[in-house]
Amino acid sequence: MADVIADPETDPHATYVLDPASVRALTSRVLASGEPMTTRTPMTGAPLATLPTSTPADVAVALDRARAAQRAWAARPVAERARLLLALHDLVLDRRSELLDIVQLESGKTRAQAFEEVADVAVVCRHYARRGPALLADRRHLGALPLLTRSTEHHRPKGVVGVVSPWNYPLTLSVTDALPALLAGNAVLLRPDPQGTLTALHALALLVEAGFPEDLVQVVLGGAETGAAVVERADYVCFTGSTATGRSVAASAGRRLVGASLELGGKNAVYVADDADLRRAVPGVLHACFSSAGQLCVSAERLIVHERVADELLARLVDAMGRMRLSTGLHWDADMGSLVGPAQLARVLAHLEDAVAKGASVLAGGRARPDIGPYVLEPTLLTGVTSAMACRDEETFGPLVALYRVQDDDAAVALANDTEYGLNASVWTRDVRRGRRFAARVQAGTVNVNEGYAAAWGSVGSPMGGMKASGLGRRHGREGLLKYTESQNVTVQRLVNIADLPGLRGAGYARALTGALRAMRAVGLP
């Protein structure tokens, strides 16, 4: 889809041109009668595409279309729905080069980090296609009176699931939350962030090509107003974004008594213990802190190091940071890309300048690199960060990391937990039991031992989400599927009525039921 007419690595006037006919084809299925918006690529700062936007009235019509399509979709066997996930799995891998181009152009990340998104979509497709039908299957439970009472648990779709996705992972976060919702029999109303619109529309085209009904997934375009319209209408809301906005989403859903899952901000810590293998830990820390230029909700912004290995780790880390390859090119030879735009660059620089003005020291990086790209900032490591500095407690969402030295694991746990957030954490140690003990004490929804975030993120059979101000609910695993359903208990009573047992009234009824309860306990019934 991307037609590169000049090489930004060698030509300062380079730009990227998208085929206008392809853009029109992508937006042809979208209800959008509002004013047009122009998006820009972080790679050069130049305009990328001009796209229509959806009004609240458009959102209402899109919701009606999705709801009409959902009725027939929910009637299909779950095994048939699962087969379409596997078809999408194959398409995503087959079209990976095209997807990588558009993810890079919209997000500014490197090609390798864009590939994380392609792989993630494939993994989620495979997992829910293979495991989802069993999770959604009807389940029998022990009835009130064994043999006479038959209780069955069913999982009914919510209806239309509203997904409001952010810009930082435009493919993963627009698609992977929608996939389990679709498998469960729902329709989806998706509002991608404007900066991730083209990626989301490309994913929609692949969904239709895989065999999903055209009206089942509705994409509406625009900013906060469009997102609010989705939140105010959907039967369930899945939101990924800032904690401040997440509170508003939760309040809106609460007023309507509909469910919501929220993955919000983080101030994640990585702890390097005194017995860590530094040959593994250094590249692991780099990936944990600077993947997608730190614009990842589970990336680390606090590096906690045991004092016994702090000097050696620091020497290795500073050397490795200095050798990182920065680029805004559509190729594989880069370690870190660009921030997404001028506002994000300004935020990170404000945190950096505030910290330095109040006494922090820059150990590595700290410079903007307009020679590479307009929003590129070197990976930066600070020491001497205190609570007087904004970057101590506020989420930076960029390649700015603070180093803290500690004397023992207790101090590391206390520092890791000293935040309103609780999304992700990481510990590096040769002793896995020690790592598990550390993890059990950390107030975070996921904790990785000897990995930054990819191990937990990629283990999609297990839940992923935040504690404290980092959100509500979970994606992935059983909960990531069943949250999109209403649990229904259908119970059949046979032969006799529970409240009207033949020949038993009053005290006699109580004595008989008491004896039955004691017998059920004695034989070990749950």
Side-chain angles (χ1 to χ4, degrees):
M1 179 172 177
D3 177 20
V4 182
I5 63 172
D7 183 357
E9 295 291 295
T10 59
D11 181 354
H13 302 293
T15 187
Y16 295 100
V17 174
L18 300 184
D19 178 8
S22 296
V23 174
R24 286 194 298 271
L26 287 174
T27 58
S28 63
R29 296 187 180 94
V30 177
L31 285 165
S33 62
E35 294 297 317
M37 62 179 178
T38 298
T39 63
R40 293 178 175 272
T41 174
M43 302 300 217
T44 62
L48 185 61
T50 298
L51 302 163
T53 60
S54 304
T55 66
D58 293 330
V59 174
V61 175
L63 181 81
D64 289 342
R65 287 186 180 178
R67 197 177 300 286
Q70 186 268 333
R71 298 186 188 101
W73 175 250
R76 293 196 190 187
V78 66
E80 181 180 333
R81 302 197 294 259
R83 284 195 293 273
L84 297 186
L85 290 187
L86 293 178
L88 180 64
H89 169 282
D90 296 343
L91 280 173
V92 166
L93 295 180
D94 289 344
R95 309 287 175 77
R96 63 187 182 277
S97 294
E98 196 171 350
L99 286 169
L100 293 175
D101 282 352
I102 204 66
V103 169
Q104 283 194 270
L105 289 174
E106 288 201 304
S107 68
K109 63 181 63 179
T110 68
R111 204 161 188 81
Q113 288 150 16
F115 183 74
E116 290 182 1
E117 300 198 46
V118 172
D120 183 45
V121 173
V123 169
V124 171
C125 282
R126 188 189 73 243
H127 172 76
Y128 281 116
R130 302 296 193 202
R131 302 296 185 191
L135 294 174
L136 293 168
D138 297 342
R139 292 175 180 269
R140 272 200 206 174
H141 299 287
L142 184 69
L145 295 178
L147 303 179
L148 299 180
T149 310
R150 178 175 177 176
S151 180
T152 306
E153 174 188 350
H154 303 276
H155 294 286
R156 312 299 191 195
K158 294 276 189 180
V160 179
V161 171
V163 177
V164 179
S165 63
W167 48 262
N168 60 319
Y169 268 61
L171 182 62
T172 278
L173 296 177
S174 64
V175 176
T176 59
D177 287 321
L179 294 176
L182 293 169
L183 182 68
N186 298 283
V188 169
L189 180 61
L190 167 65
R191 193 244 55 178
D193 186 272
Q195 193 62 33
T197 295
L198 292 170
T199 303
L201 291 175
H202 210 78
L204 172 63
L206 292 182
L207 283 164
V208 173
E209 187 175 346
F212 289 86
E214 286 204 18
D215 285 344
L216 188 65
V217 179
Q218 295 287 319
V219 178
V220 290
L221 309 182
E225 182 183 33
T226 310
V230 171
V231 170
E232 291 164 4
R233 289 170 171 81
D235 300 315
Y236 184 91
V237 178
C238 180
F239 172 80
T240 305
S242 71
T243 295
T245 304
R247 294 184 195 277
S248 298
V249 171
S252 177
R255 282 192 297 270
R256 297 194 298 118
L257 295 179
V258 302
S261 59
L262 315 168
E263 186 178 292
L264 308 177
K267 196 68 180 176
N268 309 302
V270 53
Y271 172 48
V272 180
D274 56 336
D275 67 339
D277 179 353
L278 298 187
R279 291 173 298 178
R280 284 187 62 192
V282 168
V285 167
L286 291 179
H287 189 251
C289 296
F290 304 120
S291 182
S292 295
Q295 299 168 118
L296 173 59
C297 53
V298 292
S299 67
E301 295 186 4
R302 296 182 296 158
L303 173 57
I304 304 170
V305 186
H306 197 291
E307 61 182 6
R308 291 178 188 164
V309 295
D311 290 340
E312 183 180 357
L313 176 79
L314 183 58
R316 292 183 181 219
L317 188 62
V318 169
D319 175 67
M321 289 173 65
R323 290 185 284 105
M324 287 180 66
R325 299 166 297 174
L326 311 183
S327 175
T328 55
L330 300 181
H331 56 70
W332 293 94
D333 299 323
D335 300 309
M336 196 182 85
S338 174
L339 290 163
V340 75
Q344 199 62 26
L345 176 62
R347 176 179 176 83
V348 180
L349 287 175
H351 275 196
L352 172 60
E353 291 162 4
D354 170 74
V356 171
K358 293 175 180 176
S361 299
V362 177
L363 299 177
R367 297 183 303 158
R369 295 296 301 275
D371 55 311
I372 297 173
Y375 317 124
V376 174
L377 178 70
E378 292 176 340
T380 302
L381 183 63
L382 298 177
T383 189
V385 171
T386 70
S387 58
M389 304 168 189
C391 70
R392 166 59 171 77
D393 297 309
E394 296 178 17
E395 184 179 33
T396 303
F397 220 61
L400 182 66
V401 177
L403 172 72
Y404 303 90
R405 298 174 183 239
V406 295
Q407 295 180 339
D408 52 34
D409 291 1
D410 290 342
V413 168
L415 184 53
N417 290 338
D418 185 17
T419 171
E420 67 171 328
Y421 298 109
L423 188 56
N424 184 55
S426 169
V427 55
W428 293 80
T429 172
R430 296 177 192 268
D431 184 346
V432 172
R433 289 185 179 179
R434 179 183 180 181
R436 290 185 180 278
R437 290 194 300 269
F438 179 89
R441 300 168 64 192
V442 174
Q443 298 164 353
T446 53
V447 183
N448 296 259
V449 179
N450 294 326
E451 179 49 68
Y453 64 83
W457 182 273
S459 300
V460 296
S462 297
M464 182 113 190
M467 298 181 182
K468 301 190 285 188
S470 287
L472 300 171
R474 296 291 184 268
R475 60 166 50 98
H476 296 171
R478 177 184 175 89
E479 186 175 348
L481 173 63
L482 296 187
K483 69 181 180 182
Y484 296 123
T485 67
E486 297 283 5
S487 297
Q488 184 185 49
N489 173 1
V490 177
T491 299
V492 176
Q493 183 64 27
R494 298 169 175 166
L495 300 180
V496 297
N497 300 336
I498 289 180
D500 186 26
L501 296 177
L504 294 175
R505 295 288 186 276
Y509 176 88
R511 284 194 298 271
L513 190 56
T514 298
L517 293 173
R518 292 187 187 279
M520 285 189 282
R521 181 190 186 283
V523 299
L525 291 177

